[in-house]
């Protein structure tokens, strides 16, 4: 048995003994929430917790719909060294006057929600209550894109990264870095300052490629865009080098300095994340901003598909030899959710789901998926728009109405954030294949604008009512419904 498996199991055993000693053996489900930057993780978790604590209307979440959820509350989390998910702060932003979206979060965090419920078994007989701990773990999806690095040495990774940066969809974003790289001799003495400069230039290219203009997704190493607490550390100060045909470099060269750091990144950053966090999850939701990729055009869609392939690979147990060096993930259910569905009229929600389904099928390939159950849906954890109709040239168009955020643009109009507008977002194509093969919003017509959060509704008993949502209940049912049956 590999040592890591042993220590992991030992950790569990110790914890269980502790629980037994305190007489509190409550079943726990560890729920991972991930997605690439700005995909909607923080908003999703905040809305989920708020709905459960405040008893929101969740008709497709069986336990709530059947009146079996008695109480839900936050408790101290079990892992002392993981930062806590700042639920109260995020909710305060959303319920401020005027409401604002929570700040971006750049690292892993965790929250323990405890639900008291009557199970269907007990319910019929009107017997006692049961408890379930839901440990919610929020982590950047970028970190999952690092799994393939574990199998790749520095030379192979450099070659891939350079080829990718020279591809048509990235050339413009990568120009400065490519130019800098051309003048570098990898056999020259390893110079700390030069390594840092090259690494910064490489990171600048990655963040340009991620910006709305290109909206690309597969940009490893994951910590370069999402450093968490490691910003500035040497394990993050490296970049690919062009070997220019050579396959050996002297000790003390720039190449060997970079190589050492790349290996350190794998051993001290990538591996521990998969071992200590990822492999302990039971359930997983992956949030995907499909609309942003559609808005970014065909290159962005193709790149999202590549990212999904790599992300789903992480959940594929058994067939995956990458896992043999760590240990198998135990996730048995995955929900893939296209977020921000409130940017579309409800007529397009099913289409958005169909597009994500097709993207998923393509990402999974023809090989039968032997990992967990996968469910696909479109949701808005917080619905920032209402639906309406507008007349345009004798035609009635289905619109969405909301407050576009300050600075958002449609055509030549720039919004100031203070007024509601009815916007015709356009329809997604009926055939999802079309959406994935070059379909694009009309040139210059950004149809998806960002809206400010809806006005919070205070409750007479204090606090605020949970926000309206789209299909959040179905996501909760798919993730944990069976654990509350
Ligand atoms: N209209 C609408 N916008 C949303 C929704 N969820 C997220 N957004 C928008 O997407 C932005 C990012 O959401 P977050 O929840 O902060 O995303 P995240 O994945 O936590 O982002 P990082 O922490 O930066 O990785 C928000 O600021 C909103 O503008 C939603 O349900 N509806
Ligand atoms: Mg966040």
């Amino acid at each position: 048995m590999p040592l890591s498996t042993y220590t992991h199991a030992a950790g569990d055993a110790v914890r269980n003994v502790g629980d037994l000693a305190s007489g509190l053996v409550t079943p726990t489900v560890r729920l991972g929430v991930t997605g690439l930057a700005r995909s909607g993780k923080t908003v999703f978790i905040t809305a989920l917790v708020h709905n459960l604590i405040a008893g929101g209307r969740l008709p497709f979440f069986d336990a709530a719909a059947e009146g079996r959820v008695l109480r839900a509350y936050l408790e101290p989390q079990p892992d002392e060294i993981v930062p806590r998910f700042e639920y109260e702060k995020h909710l305060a932003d959303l319920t401020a006057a005027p409401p604002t979206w929570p700040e971006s979060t750049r690292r892993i965090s965790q929250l323990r929600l405890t639900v008291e419920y009557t199970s269907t078994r007990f319910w019929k007989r009107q017997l006692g209550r049961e408890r379930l701990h839901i440990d919610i773990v929020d982590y950047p999806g970028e970190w999952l894109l690092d799994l393939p690095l574990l199998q790749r040495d520095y030379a192979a990774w450099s070659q891939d990264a350079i080829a990718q940066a020279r591809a048509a969809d990235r050339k413009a974003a990568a120009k400065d870095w490519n130019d800098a790289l051309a003048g570098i001799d990898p056999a020259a003495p390893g110079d700390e300052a030069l390594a840092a400069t090259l690494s910064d230039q490489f990171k600048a290219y990655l963040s340009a490629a991620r910006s709305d203009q290109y909206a690309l997704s597969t940009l490893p190493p994951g910590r370069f865009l999402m450093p968490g607490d490691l910003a500035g550390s040497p394990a993050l100060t490296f970049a690919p080098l062009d070997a220019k045909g050579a396959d050996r470099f002297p000790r003390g060269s720039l190449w060997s300095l970079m190589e050492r750091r790349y290996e350190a990144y794998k051993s001290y950053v990538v591996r521990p994340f998969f071992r200590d966090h990822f492999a302990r999850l039971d359930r997983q939701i992956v949030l995907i901003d499909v609309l942003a990729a559609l808005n970014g055009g065909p290159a962005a869609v193709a790149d999202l598909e590549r990212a999904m392939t790599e992300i789903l690979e992480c959940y594929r147990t058994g067939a995956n030899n990458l896992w043999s060096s760590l240990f198998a993930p135990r996730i048995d259910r995955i929900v893939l959710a296209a977020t921000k569905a409130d940017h579309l009229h409800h007529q397009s929600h099913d289409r958005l789901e169909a597009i994500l389904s097709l993207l998923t099928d393509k990402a999974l390939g023809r090989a039968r998926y032997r990992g967990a159950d996968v469910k696909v849906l479109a949701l808005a954890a917080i619905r920032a728009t209402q639906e309406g109709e507008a007349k345009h040239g004798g035609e009635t168009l289905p619109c969405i109405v909301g407050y576009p955020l300050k600075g958002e643009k449609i055509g030549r109009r720039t919004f100031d954030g203070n007024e509601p507008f009815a916007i015709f977002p356009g329809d997604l194509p009926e055939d999802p294949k079309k959406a994935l093969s070059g379909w694009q919003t009309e040139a210059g017509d950004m149809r998806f604008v960002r809206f400010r959060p809806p006005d919070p509704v205070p409750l007479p008993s204090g606090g605020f009512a949970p926000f309206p949502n789209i299909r959040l209940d179905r996501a909760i049912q798919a993730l944990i419904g069976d654990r509350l049956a």
Side-chain angles (χ1 to χ4, degrees):
M1 188 194 287
L3 183 63
S4 50
T5 309
Y6 174 73
T7 49
H8 174 61
D12 273 357
V14 170
R15 207 169 36 249
N16 289 344
V17 170
D19 283 348
L20 279 172
S22 59
L24 292 169
V25 191
T26 300
T28 301
V29 58
R30 286 180 77 88
L31 170 62
V33 178
T34 197
L36 300 174
R38 315 307 290 146
S39 56
K41 302 178 287 293
T42 302
V43 170
F44 175 82
I45 297 173
T46 308
L48 180 152
V49 172
H50 191 197
N51 267 280
L52 288 178
I53 291 182
R57 230 181 64 78
L58 301 165
F60 283 91
F61 173 38
D62 293 349
E66 292 162 7
R68 293 188 289 104
V69 176
L70 304 172
R71 193 159 83 98
Y73 48 94
L74 298 175
E75 280 198 279
Q77 67 194 43
D79 300 286
E80 265 86 13
I81 53 161
V82 180
R84 183 172 179 276
F85 178 86
E86 295 183 287
Y87 169 72
E88 295 78 6
K89 184 164 170 286
H90 301 316
L91 189 63
D93 288 340
L94 286 163
T95 51
T100 57
W101 294 108
E103 273 174 30
S104 177
T105 45
R106 299 272 112 141
R107 52 179 195 181
I108 191 163
S109 67
Q110 194 188 50
L111 190 69
R112 169 167 279 190
L113 177 71
T114 300
V115 180
E116 285 179 8
Y117 68 102
T118 34
S119 87
T120 44
R121 280 171 291 134
F122 285 111
W123 187 41
K124 291 190 185 108
R125 284 180 265 147
Q126 306 256 314
L127 287 168
R129 56 181 60 192
E130 299 200 14
R131 296 200 312 160
L132 177 70
H133 292 315
I134 306 171
D135 288 342
I136 305 173
V137 183
D138 170 357
Y139 65 94
E142 282 77 3
W143 297 2
L144 296 177
L145 301 177
D146 279 345
L147 186 66
L149 299 189
L150 294 179
Q151 271 194 331
R152 227 165 278 175
D153 66 9
Y154 177 67
W157 174 69
S158 283
Q159 212 173 15
D160 284 357
I162 290 169
Q164 208 175 31
R166 290 180 183 161
D169 57 341
R170 297 179 178 215
K171 233 179 152 156
K175 185 171 182 315
D176 289 349
W177 176 64
N178 264 325
D179 290 351
L181 196 60
I184 299 295
D185 174 9
D191 173 344
E192 190 73 43
L194 179 60
T197 309
L198 283 170
S199 181
D200 287 345
Q201 282 166 326
F202 181 62
K203 285 170 192 150
Y205 139 58
L206 296 181
S207 39
R210 192 185 57 190
S211 65
D212 279 352
Q213 191 189 350
Y214 302 101
L216 298 178
S217 308
T218 48
L219 303 160
R223 288 296 198 296
F224 278 24
L225 290 176
M226 286 286 155
D229 297 330
L230 292 168
S233 93
L236 263 53
T237 312
F238 64 94
L241 287 175
D242 189 350
K244 298 176 179 158
D247 58 2
R248 289 188 79 87
F249 294 93
R251 285 176 95 199
S253 62
L254 183 62
W255 178 278
S256 70
L257 173 72
M258 294 287 203
E259 185 173 39
R260 212 169 49 239
R261 290 191 172 169
Y262 172 81
E263 290 303 330
Y265 177 76
K266 281 161 55 179
S267 318
Y268 300 114
V269 181
V270 181
R271 237 169 241 282
F273 163 70
F274 280 101
R275 186 188 59 216
D276 301 338
H277 300 294
F278 185 80
R280 292 172 57 208
L281 299 173
D282 302 302
R283 301 282 159 94
Q284 177 68 53
I285 182 166
V286 183
L287 303 174
I288 303 152
D289 194 343
V290 176
L291 294 176
L294 290 175
N295 234 5
V301 171
D303 202 61
L304 178 63
E305 191 183 320
R306 217 176 308 152
M308 284 191 51
T309 310
E310 291 190 10
I311 287 176
L312 288 172
E313 191 61 32
C314 298
Y315 302 111
R316 200 200 287 264
T317 43
N320 189 340
N321 60 6
L322 283 170
W323 281 111
S324 56
S325 55
L326 301 162
F327 33 80
R330 61 187 191 201
I331 293 166
D332 60 352
R333 277 190 183 199
I334 303 168
V335 174
L336 301 175
T339 50
K340 312 179 194 179
D342 58 329
H343 286 92
L344 298 168
H345 195 266
H346 73 265
Q347 289 165 347
S348 281
H349 293 166
D350 288 341
R351 293 183 181 184
L352 183 59
E353 265 177 29
I355 292 171
L356 182 59
S357 288
L358 182 61
L359 203 60
T360 311
D361 288 348
K362 289 179 83 175
L364 290 174
R366 270 185 226 108
R368 243 180 73 77
Y369 192 66
R370 284 198 284 141
D373 273 355
V374 181
K375 183 169 171 61
V376 172
L377 46 86
L379 63 78
I382 294 185
R383 179 176 198 157
T385 65
Q386 291 175 330
E387 299 199 334
E389 285 179 341
K391 292 236 180 319
H392 183 78
E395 223 187 321
T396 308
L397 296 175
C399 281
I400 52 171
V401 185
Y403 287 77
L405 284 177
K406 188 168 185 239
E408 288 292 299
K409 289 184 190 149
I410 289 188
R412 289 208 204 114
R413 181 191 281 271
T414 305
F415 298 97
D416 65 6
N418 298 320
E419 261 182 283
F421 279 86
I423 291 168
F424 172 61
D427 294 319
L428 293 175
E430 202 177 337
D431 178 1
K433 283 199 201 90
K434 223 167 159 185
L436 299 190
S437 61
W439 171 87
Q440 223 178 342
T441 52
E442 290 141 40
D445 172 20
M446 281 274 281
R447 295 196 252 182
F448 306 124
V449 292
R450 280 178 265 249
F451 295 97
R452 117 182 170 195
D455 283 324
V457 178
L459 291 171
S461 53
F464 292 88
F467 292 102
N469 67 74
I470 297 169
R471 302 185 183 177
L472 178 63
D473 51 351
R474 298 185 206 207
I476 301 175
Q477 175 66 23
L479 286 168
I480 53 164
D482 63 318
R483 299 295 304 265
L484 294 165

